[in-house]
């Protein structure tokens, strides 16, 4: 697939080859990362990147959209089916854009939004001080309970009563527990606020029925397509019928020009992959692996925020180990164990040198790793953190990780051949 690149741009070819080697030789534990199938990669690298398709199926501003109309319609219908949503928009360029579009659809500049604090596991676009969302809107942040690490719905309700936000965001980027979207909805409705639910991280778990779905509750649901959902890098919005037109307009002309049709094509493929028994098994194994990894780490004396996990990720509070998050993450990376440093709830340290690291199991689970391998990964983490200044120990772990990963090659497909049925839309054409 890369032979043209090898011939015409050997420098970039060489770098892609290096990145491929890094991805296959490392334990990718960043919870927002995953490996897509060969089918998704091919769709994403296809000629659909050449096409301008501003507008929506059968309502385009450019000619030549006979095929893109069919592809986008299939993507929309697959999204509606697996999320059981009235309406889907598959055009947002990313999760961040999807959130901005949702705000744009529901509220006005100067209105108040209320989302989970960045340092408690929220996302930048939920009204963080560095984000444009806190400049356009008045941002109020709720936190998790610093003692337990859990969301405190009573405290969130009190804060909502006090600030009367126009929109409340439920969703996580570093929260290791399940979220009760129905409670969020009650809180939002009790103060007359809209409810946006951002399931960027957990979309795959929601599709598999392993996390409560916000679709019946929230006014709008935003997501990325590339995290647990295991599609190409992109975003998506789901909503009830009454907001369909608002959302579509907020994207185009509201915020974007031409949709990335190659990405939408790949999203269509990923959504079909997610609509299989194999995917449900996969999502179940993500959770089993996360539980096991958390248990093992706690056995080794690691302090996990909230005392464990019931989703795909966990946050390690490293203060009892005396190693700052960044130093830990860098040392782990030298051992081919790739994580990210992260604030922990109530972290007294600044965000650039926080006390925690965040790890998750979606990518290693895609490689077929199970509980037994989680025990080994916990061992690697323990060894590196406890020998963070000893390069010879780190080098030894590096070699062991390379051996382990070589036994679990990155798969190029996830389901039985021929599993995706031809869509009726294309049969009539
Ligand atoms: C990852 C993430 C996003 C942003 O997605 P991008 O595609 O990186 O823009 C938004 N919200 C949450 C909760 C996320 O975890």
């Amino acid at each position: 697939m890369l032979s043209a690149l090898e011939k015409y741009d050997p420098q970039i070819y060489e770098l892609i080859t290096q990145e491929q080697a890094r991805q296959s030789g490392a334990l990718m534990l960043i919870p927002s990362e995953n490996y897509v199938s060969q089918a998704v990669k091919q769709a994403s690298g296809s000629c659909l990147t050449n096409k301008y398709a501003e507008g929506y199926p059968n309502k385009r501003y450019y000619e030549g959209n006979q095929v893109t109309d069919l592809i986008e319609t299939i993507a929309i219908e697959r999204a509606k089916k697996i999320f059981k949503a009235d309406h889907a928009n598959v055009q947002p360029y990313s999760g961040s854009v999807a959130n901005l579009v949702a705000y744009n659809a529901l509220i006005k500049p100067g209105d108040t939004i209320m989302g989970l604090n960045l340092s408690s596991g929220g996302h930048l676009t939920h009204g963080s001080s560095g984000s444009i969302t806190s400049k356009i809107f008045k941002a109020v942040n709720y936190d998790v309970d610093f003692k337990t690490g859990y969301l405190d719905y009573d405290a969130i309700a009190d804060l909502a009563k006090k600030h009367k936000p126009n929109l409340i965001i439920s969703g996580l980027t570093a929260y290791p527990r399940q979220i009760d979207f129905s409670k969020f909805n009650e809180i939002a409705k009790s103060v007359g606020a809209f409810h946006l639910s951002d399931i960027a991280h957990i979309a795959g778990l929601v599709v598999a029925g392993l996390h409560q779905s916000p679709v019946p509750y929230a006014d709008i649901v935003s997501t990325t397509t590339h995290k647990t959902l295991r599609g190409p890098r992109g975003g998506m919005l789901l909503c009830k019928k009454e907001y369909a037109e608002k959302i579509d307009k907020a994207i185009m002309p509201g915020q974007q020009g031409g949709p990335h049709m190659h990405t939408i094509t790949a999203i269509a493929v990923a959504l079909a992959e997610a609509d299989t028994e194999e995917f449900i098994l996969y999502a179940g194994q993500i959770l089993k692996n996360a539980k096991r990894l958390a248990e093992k780490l706690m056995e080794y004396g690691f302090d996990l925020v909230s005392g464990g996990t019931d989703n795909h990720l966990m946050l390690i509070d490293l203060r009892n180990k005396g190693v700052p998050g960044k130093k830990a993450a860098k040392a782990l990376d030298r051992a081919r164990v790739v994580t990210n440093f992260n604030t922990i709830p109530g972290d007294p340290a600044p965000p650039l040198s926080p006390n925690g690291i965040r790890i998750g199991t979606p990518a290693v689970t895609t490689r077929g790793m199970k509980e037994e391998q989680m025990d080994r990964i916990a061992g690697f983490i323990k060894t590196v953190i406890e020998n963070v200044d000893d390069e010879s120990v780190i080098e030894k772990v590096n070699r062991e990780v390379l051996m382990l990963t070589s036994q679990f090659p990155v798969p190029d497909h996830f389901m039985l051949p021929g599993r995706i049925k031809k869509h009726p839309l294309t049969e009539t054409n």
Side-chain angles (χ1 to χ4, degrees):
M1 236 184 115
L2 294 177
S3 58
L5 202 50
E6 184 176 14
K7 194 163 161 196
Y8 296 110
D9 194 338
Q11 187 181 19
I12 291 297
Y13 173 79
E14 167 58 23
L15 289 172
I16 293 176
T17 308
Q18 280 178 29
E19 173 62 7
Q20 206 162 350
R22 185 196 70 80
Q23 289 186 12
S24 74
L27 290 163
M28 284 178 22
L29 294 179
I30 294 174
S32 47
E33 291 183 351
N34 216 329
Y35 301 97
V36 299
S37 70
Q38 208 63 0
V40 165
K41 253 189 271 182
Q42 283 178 5
S44 171
S46 71
C47 66
L48 270 299
T49 196
N50 298 333
K51 187 65 198 118
Y52 246 106
E54 242 171 68
Y56 290 101
N58 307 316
K59 283 172 280 182
R60 305 283 188 191
Y61 292 84
Y62 293 78
E63 297 315 311
N65 278 302
Q66 296 83 351
V67 174
T68 53
D69 279 357
L70 293 173
I71 291 175
E72 187 171 350
T73 305
I74 290 171
I76 289 167
E77 289 193 5
R78 287 179 180 173
K80 280 161 62 178
K81 177 174 178 231
I82 66 170
F83 286 100
K84 302 183 178 70
D86 291 347
H87 181 73
N89 189 310
V90 293
Q91 293 196 1
Y93 298 145
S94 75
S96 302
V97 178
N99 283 344
L100 288 171
V101 166
Y103 299 149
N104 188 11
L106 297 175
I107 58 176
K108 299 184 301 298
D111 281 357
T112 301
I113 59 172
M114 187 173 129
L116 182 59
N117 211 335
L118 191 64
S119 63
S120 272
H123 190 258
L124 286 167
T125 53
H126 297 178
S128 156
S129 62
S131 155
I132 192 166
T133 53
S134 71
K135 300 187 174 76
I136 301 176
F137 306 107
K138 256 193 279 167
V140 178
N141 288 132
Y142 55 90
D143 276 289
V144 295
D145 182 323
F146 292 160
K147 277 203 204 75
T148 64
Y150 277 81
L151 287 169
D152 176 348
Y153 295 96
D154 292 334
I156 296 167
D158 287 345
L159 201 66
K161 277 200 195 85
K162 185 170 160 206
H163 292 282
K164 299 255 178 303
N166 304 87
L167 183 144
I168 294 180
I169 306 130
S170 62
L172 61 93
T173 193
Y175 179 67
R177 296 295 177 177
Q178 301 235 340
I179 294 181
D180 189 337
F181 295 117
S182 71
K183 269 196 189 144
F184 264 104
N185 211 51
E186 269 172 40
I187 295 170
K189 293 308 140 210
S190 77
V191 297
F194 290 111
H195 176 198
L196 166 66
S197 178
D198 177 355
I199 57 168
H201 261 261
I202 56 170
L205 306 179
V206 168
V207 164
L210 298 172
H211 191 294
Q212 185 194 58
S213 170
V215 171
Y217 306 109
D219 296 303
I220 297 182
V221 176
S222 71
T223 185
T224 62
T225 47
H226 49 275
K227 299 183 184 178
T228 50
L229 196 55
R230 209 161 57 179
R233 196 153 288 271
M236 212 157 65
L237 287 162
L238 309 159
C239 68
K240 302 195 166 71
K241 261 199 193 72
E242 59 185 300
Y243 300 113
E245 202 187 324
K246 277 205 167 110
I247 278 190
D248 289 353
K249 282 192 173 148
I251 290 192
M252 209 334 260
Q255 207 162 315
Q256 293 189 168
H260 294 177
M261 283 314 305
H262 58 304
T263 300
I264 290 171
T265 307
I267 288 174
V269 177
L271 291 172
E273 289 177 349
D275 190 18
T276 57
E277 201 65 36
E278 289 90 339
F279 189 83
I280 294 174
L281 292 174
Y282 162 64
Q285 192 63 45
I286 291 178
L287 296 189
K288 284 188 211 159
N289 283 350
K291 272 242 156 17
R292 181 64 163 260
L293 186 54
E295 275 162 20
K296 211 66 192 169
L297 286 169
M298 288 189 293
E299 242 178 75
Y300 289 148
F302 283 98
D303 187 4
L304 297 198
V305 171
S306 83
T309 175
D310 46 32
N311 61 19
H312 62 298
L313 70 82
M314 61 209 80
L315 264 178
I316 308 179
D317 180 344
L318 287 165
R319 283 179 293 187
N320 69 342
K321 298 279 182 185
V323 182
K326 195 176 196 169
K327 185 170 182 180
K330 298 249 176 246
L332 285 165
D333 190 45
R334 290 200 295 283
R336 296 180 190 267
V337 179
V338 189
T339 64
N340 66 275
F341 58 86
N342 212 99
T343 51
I344 48 165
D347 205 329
L352 263 172
S353 63
N355 279 308
I357 55 172
R358 184 182 70 149
I359 59 182
T361 53
V364 290
T365 306
T366 291
R367 299 180 75 144
M369 293 190 190
K370 296 215 161 74
E371 286 89 334
E372 200 186 323
Q373 287 73 43
M374 297 306 117
D375 292 351
R376 294 205 56 200
I377 292 174
F380 296 146
I381 293 172
K382 171 187 192 289
T383 305
V384 171
I385 304 281
E386 289 176 358
N387 298 276
V388 75
D389 291 314
D390 188 337
E391 287 307 318
S392 68
V393 173
I394 291 173
E395 179 55 33
K396 191 164 159 281
V397 175
N398 178 310
R399 285 195 300 272
E400 284 176 41
V401 171
L402 194 57
M403 268 185 0
L404 176 64
T405 51
S406 70
Q407 291 157 18
F408 291 86
V410 179
D412 57 13
H413 65 90
F414 309 127
M415 50 178 189
L416 304 172
R419 184 56 79 93
I420 299 175
K421 295 219 174 60
K422 198 169 174 189
H423 196 281
L425 253 183
T426 55
E427 267 163 18
T428 54
N429 271 306

